[in-house]
Amino acid sequence: MVIKTIAVGMFAANCYFIMDEDTKETAVIDPGGDSEDLIEILDKMGALVKFILLTHGHADHTGAITEISSKYNVPIYINEKDQELMFNNAYMFGSIKGDNTLIKNICDDDKLCIGSTEISTVETPGHTPGGVCFIVEDNIFTGDTLFYGSVGRTDLPGGSYNTLISSIKTKLLVMPDNYTVLPGHGPKSTIKIEKGSNPFL
Ligand SMILES: [Zn+2]
């Protein structure tokens, strides 16, 4: 399994590619912009894009979903609570254009595969009501729920600080210390680092 990180758009949101090396099947997490660059990199890698995964519905994480989804004809997985905010054009949320049948719901404990690599889902509401994290082996893709030394903002539609902190404590910090945290912005971390020194926790 290979993970590639590309910072996209004006807010430098981290887009991640997870590729199963044997089959080249690839999941694209949070393609937030710069669709032409992303497609060029995916094609250079020989990626067989299988689906798009969204940690949440904000525009800086979803800006390239239409282009990537139509280029590879792949579904877009996002929790239904954030789908609703996107369809309602809520402030700071991205828009869903094109083929709506490609939008799929994803919930707690849902599992998807690229080749023999399993990706599981954990719901972590708070930054947005439909926020989720994805777990692949010992990596957690935390979107804007948990950052290196920080947590996501909660002043946007559907946000809740208490819910966010509760999600992090009950869903993420219970994971093994050695798990790598791959956030939606900024550098990576580990569960151990965040447990030990994140001032919000
Ligand atoms: Zn966000």
Side-chain angles (χ1 to χ4, degrees), residues 56 58 61 127 144:
H56 64 295
H58 284 157
H61 295 257
H127 175 65
D144 290 356

Side-chain angles (χ1 to χ4, degrees), residues 46 114 125 156 163:
I114 42 164
L156 295 171
T163 306

Side-chain angles (χ1 to χ4, degrees), residues 5-16 30 32-34 60-61 144 147 183-187:
T5 311
I6 303 112
V8 296
M10 69 173 95
F11 296 104
N14 289 327
C15 172
Y16 294 100
D30 287 358
D34 302 338
D60 57 330
H61 295 257
D144 290 356
F147 301 120
H185 300 268

